[in-house]
Amino acid sequence: MESGAPASSGSASEPGAGPDPGPGPKPGDTPEKPVPQEPDPQEQDRQATGPQEPALEASDPQGPAPDAAGPEAPDPQGSAQGAADPEAPDSQAAGAGQRSRRRRRWVRRGVVALVLLLLVPLLGAEAALRVNYSGDPADGTYTRGQDAIWLGHAWVDGRKTDADVTALAERLRGTGIRDLYVHTGPLEHDGTLPESVYPKAGWFIAAVHRALPGVRVQAWLGDVLASESPDGLRLERARTRAAVVASAREVLAAGYEGAHFDLEPLHSGDRNYLGLLDDLRAVTRAHGALLSVASHQIDPLPAFHSVWGTLTNHPKWWSQAYFGEVARRVDQIAVMSYDTMQPLQSLYGGYVAQQTSLALEVTPPGTQLLMGLPFYHENKFGHQAHAETVPAAVRGVRLGLSRTDADRARFGVALYVDFAATEADWTAYREDWVHR
């Protein structure tokens, strides 16, 4: 994966590309090793020394002899034998063993309770996703002619030719695709973007305008954030944010009609990101261009990103409120609705339906919302190709749209990614979503 690739979306690698043009899936979370329990110090002492024999009272050899006429004196030997009753240590050991067994039972019960506490809501959520995939989408829930596709870096680094643009135009003509997010980065970790990484951008933009009038070309810019590792772009640095804004200004000056940002892993609630978007919006508006972003998925359960982040140090999702804050600051927001960890098509489709509804609820009508379709095929943690299919995703999108805002005008799907797509992916997109 290249430094500009998203850390939480499809990770298909472009043939012949130096860097992976990203959005790429998040690496699987490695479960922590169990923490050994600290032994009980008292138990260690008992194991080291064994049961302690009670101390014996020493008899005084010079003591007075017992009075024959007086009361009978206690027998020192008998007392010593009573004090050294062999059953006493056995009772102590038995008691310690019972306490140890009780402690282990409580630990086991605690572990079972914790597992159930986590598992029951997840099982309930999965069952709800299956139900969410049922029913029929409303009539008319098809393309609005506002779809997009992520394109690899080869289109702007000199590897593509006029013949490739002609083939691309034939592929896209008659679909609903209006925007091309062509990989133009990655950004350097300091926010800068060398012009040398997109030497053929001008040629590609002009060629697209000739072959596909009305289709817009946006610069897809990204980088890995230093939010979960020491390396990466740091949004908390004002100088870095200023450099990112300057990079956006440069690509717009090169002829791009928009700047599309994909910065990952971006944690929910990051205020530095919101500030960056405000600054970028001022630049894109001044150029009459678009500002668009690729977004993380929305919490499938309340505060789920917090729970997951605590367990794995990788929050993955955004809260719905934070998603809304981002959506209000951009012209387009594309949900990376893949790499969902769902094992079945029905669950994946139900998940996409849920994500579509959650996003529609908080996206302003003036912001264009796009739902991602998986045009790539990998099998790894987080993404199973047999489950995350284009037909399941399109059906989920249509169901969510039908239930939440069937007449939403500024709505579409975004296809990830051109160089990994199969004929079956394109056929499903045309038949199930374009529907012409």
Side-chain angles (χ1 to χ4, degrees):
M1 177 189 301
E2 65 163 316
S3 62
S8 70
S9 46
S11 65
S13 297
E14 181 178 8
D20 170 11
K26 292 185 173 59
D29 299 305
T30 305
E32 296 181 359
K33 295 181 180 179
V35 179
Q37 299 295 319
E38 183 177 358
D40 185 343
Q42 294 181 354
E43 185 68 18
Q44 284 185 316
D45 292 341
R46 283 193 295 271
Q47 293 174 355
T49 60
Q52 299 299 307
E53 184 177 4
L56 302 180
E57 274 189 22
S59 59
D60 183 0
Q62 303 300 324
D67 186 354
E72 182 177 353
D75 182 358
Q77 184 177 0
S79 298
Q81 289 176 348
D85 184 355
E87 293 184 0
D90 291 342
S91 299
Q92 291 180 5
Q98 290 176 354
R99 286 193 297 273
S100 178
R101 286 192 294 273
R102 283 198 297 269
R103 190 182 304 113
R104 287 196 296 270
R105 280 199 300 269
W106 280 111
V107 170
R108 285 195 297 268
R109 290 172 183 172
V111 170
V112 170
L114 180 60
V115 170
L116 291 176
L117 186 64
L118 296 174
L119 194 58
V120 170
L122 289 177
L123 291 176
E126 292 293 277
L129 294 181
R130 180 61 186 89
V131 173
N132 214 27
Y133 194 59
S134 62
D136 296 319
D139 292 337
T141 50
Y142 301 109
T143 186
R144 273 86 164 127
Q146 299 189 49
D147 302 333
I149 183 171
W150 281 283
L151 299 179
H153 199 83
W155 293 101
V156 295
D157 68 2
R159 282 178 284 161
K160 296 291 188 179
T161 66
D162 288 332
D164 294 312
V165 174
T166 299
L168 177 66
E170 291 175 356
R171 171 75 76 183
L172 301 184
R173 195 173 290 119
T175 68
I177 293 176
R178 175 82 188 283
D179 288 284
L180 310 181
Y181 303 143
V182 59
H183 192 267
T184 307
L187 295 168
E188 298 294 326
H189 288 343
D190 63 1
T192 59
L193 179 67
E195 291 185 13
S196 59
V197 301
Y198 55 98
K200 295 295 184 178
W203 162 82
F204 179 64
I205 295 168
V208 168
H209 288 167
R210 288 193 301 269
L212 292 167
V215 171
R216 299 173 296 207
V217 182
Q218 299 190 45
W220 166 14
L221 304 175
D223 194 14
V224 174
L225 298 179
S227 54
E228 297 176 8
S229 68
D231 298 323
L233 188 145
R234 295 184 177 276
L235 288 178
E236 68 273 17
R237 295 176 178 172
R239 184 171 58 184
T240 298
R241 296 196 303 272
V244 173
V245 173
S247 296
R249 189 178 291 111
E250 291 166 4
V251 296
L252 296 178
Y256 284 101
E257 295 155 286
H260 175 80
F261 283 90
D262 180 22
L263 302 173
E264 302 179 45
L266 182 62
H267 293 181
S268 182
D270 191 320
R271 308 305 299 181
N272 292 313
Y273 181 60
L274 299 181
L276 173 64
L277 294 179
D278 290 337
D279 294 340
L280 288 168
R281 189 74 177 274
V283 171
T284 56
R285 281 180 170 172
H287 283 77
L290 299 172
L291 174 61
S292 62
V293 297
S295 84
H296 289 346
Q297 298 156 28
I298 301 173
D299 280 335
L301 296 171
F304 196 62
H305 71 278
S306 297
V307 176
W308 193 262
T310 300
L311 296 175
T312 67
N313 196 36
H314 174 58
K316 182 175 172 67
W317 294 270
W318 287 352
S319 72
Q320 190 183 37
Y322 186 69
F323 182 95
E325 289 195 71
V326 173
R328 288 191 291 272
R329 288 169 164 83
V330 298
D331 299 300
Q332 298 175 333
I333 184 166
V335 182
M336 294 181 287
S337 42
Y338 34 77
D339 294 347
T340 64
M341 297 185 286
Q342 298 301 327
L344 302 173
Q345 282 195 62
S346 58
L347 297 180
Y348 172 62
Y351 183 89
V352 173
Q354 179 200 49
Q355 289 292 305
T356 303
S357 293
L358 291 171
L360 282 167
E361 288 170 358
V362 293
T363 301
T367 299
Q368 182 181 343
L369 173 65
L370 301 104
M371 301 302 298
L373 302 185
F375 269 45
Y376 66 100
H377 305 268
E378 294 179 347
N379 290 294
K380 57 178 63 178
F381 179 81
H383 179 85
Q384 296 297 317
H386 69 273
E388 297 194 11
T389 65
V390 175
V394 169
R395 176 176 167 79
V397 167
R398 294 188 62 209
L399 286 169
L401 184 62
S402 302
R403 294 164 182 160
T404 311
D405 192 352
D407 298 324
R408 177 71 68 109
R410 298 183 62 76
F411 184 87
V413 296
L415 289 47
Y416 177 79
V417 58
D418 71 312
F419 56 80
T422 65
E423 286 300 324
D425 295 331
W426 284 107
T427 298
Y429 165 68
R430 286 179 174 271
E431 293 181 353
D432 298 347
W433 179 247
V434 178
H435 198 65
R436 292 174 182 166

